[in-house]
Amino acid sequence: MINEISILTTLAVVHLVALASPGPDFALVVQAAGKHGRKAGLAIALGISLAILLHAVFAITGVSVLIQQLPALGVALKVAGGCYLLYLGIGALKTVPGRLRQGDGPLLKGSADSLNIKQATIKGFVTNLLNPKALVFFLSLLTSLVPTQMSMAGKGAAIGILWGLSFAWFALLSYLLTGKRMQQKLQGIAVWIDALCGTVFTLVGGIILGSVLMATIG
């Protein structure tokens, strides 16, 4: 008999450890919350968690396996993900020199650099959805921890846990980063946050595209 509670507990612990590991999602929340405030950070958190929900559904239903069995589709996903991360990275980095020369003050609401809720949600969703590592992670996580004979209720609970923990973690991170005192500190170093996050996005995107290129010519 399958101990579903034990399986779900293990799944939650492993997922929390993965969430706490810095990566593109983490960097995106830090950048958005520090630069645009709590609402933008929470919207990014919602977008990321919705993409994780979709990844979990894909893994449970076998769609992820189908994607991996279609090499062209897998390559297209990696290229799209790598290009999108490069786009985010270069977009953040190219503003840094000018802001350093002019001085980096707090961003004003309604400025051209503002990020509305819809844009932030979409940005979080696309960033996670197009991350090929996320596809592989959730496929391996769910196939290794969730047995095929697990009940539909158990599988549904697994999907719910992955989504709920993801949103709760990134929402908490956004909340902590947007306290009044913390926000003042982050606004003072916003240009450096952009520089760091832009570097992370650019490096990860470049690594992904580099791996595709090496696999193609190898």
Side-chain angles (χ1 to χ4, degrees):
M1 183 177 178
I2 300 175
N3 188 339
E4 295 191 352
I5 294 179
S6 176
I7 291 172
L8 294 174
T9 301
T10 302
L11 181 70
V13 171
V14 173
H15 187 46
L16 276 175
V17 172
L19 287 172
S21 303
D25 294 339
F26 186 93
L28 192 63
V29 173
V30 172
Q31 183 190 38
K35 189 175 179 181
H36 301 290
R38 182 167 294 171
K39 289 183 179 180
L42 290 174
I44 291 283
L46 176 60
I48 292 171
S49 66
L50 290 175
I52 288 173
L53 174 64
L54 193 57
H55 277 302
V57 172
F58 281 173
I60 286 286
T61 58
V63 174
S64 296
V65 175
L66 178 62
I67 292 174
Q68 287 201 324
Q69 290 177 345
L70 297 173
L73 186 56
V75 170
L77 177 63
K78 289 182 179 179
V79 171
C83 288
Y84 186 70
L85 288 174
L86 277 180
Y87 166 75
L88 292 180
I90 294 172
L93 290 174
K94 72 180 183 180
T95 67
V96 170
R99 289 162 60 191
L100 285 175
R101 288 193 299 268
Q102 298 172 8
D104 190 39
L107 294 171
L108 300 175
K109 292 182 179 180
S111 68
D113 201 24
S114 63
L115 189 69
N116 65 42
I117 301 303
K118 181 179 179 180
Q119 290 173 331
T121 304
I122 293 173
K123 193 173 186 179
F125 180 80
V126 174
T127 300
N128 184 273
L129 186 67
L130 291 183
N131 186 349
K133 292 184 178 181
L135 178 72
V136 175
F137 172 76
F138 286 107
L139 177 61
S140 61
L141 178 67
L142 290 173
T143 53
S144 61
L145 292 182
V146 178
T148 55
Q149 63 269 35
M150 192 173 188
S151 68
M152 290 301 297
K155 291 179 179 179
I159 293 173
I161 286 172
L162 292 174
W163 174 80
L165 286 178
S166 301
F167 179 69
W169 167 257
F170 289 118
L172 176 62
L173 179 62
S174 176
Y175 183 84
L176 293 175
L177 289 172
T178 50
K180 186 175 181 179
R181 295 179 63 180
M182 179 62 75
Q183 191 72 13
Q184 290 175 345
K185 293 179 180 179
L186 291 177
Q187 286 287 334
I189 58 172
V191 63
W192 299 111
I193 293 175
D194 269 358
L196 178 59
C197 293
T199 300
V200 170
F201 295 143
T202 301
L203 284 175
V204 175
I207 290 171
I208 292 172
L209 293 177
S211 68
V212 173
L213 180 62
M214 293 300 293
T216 302
I217 65 178

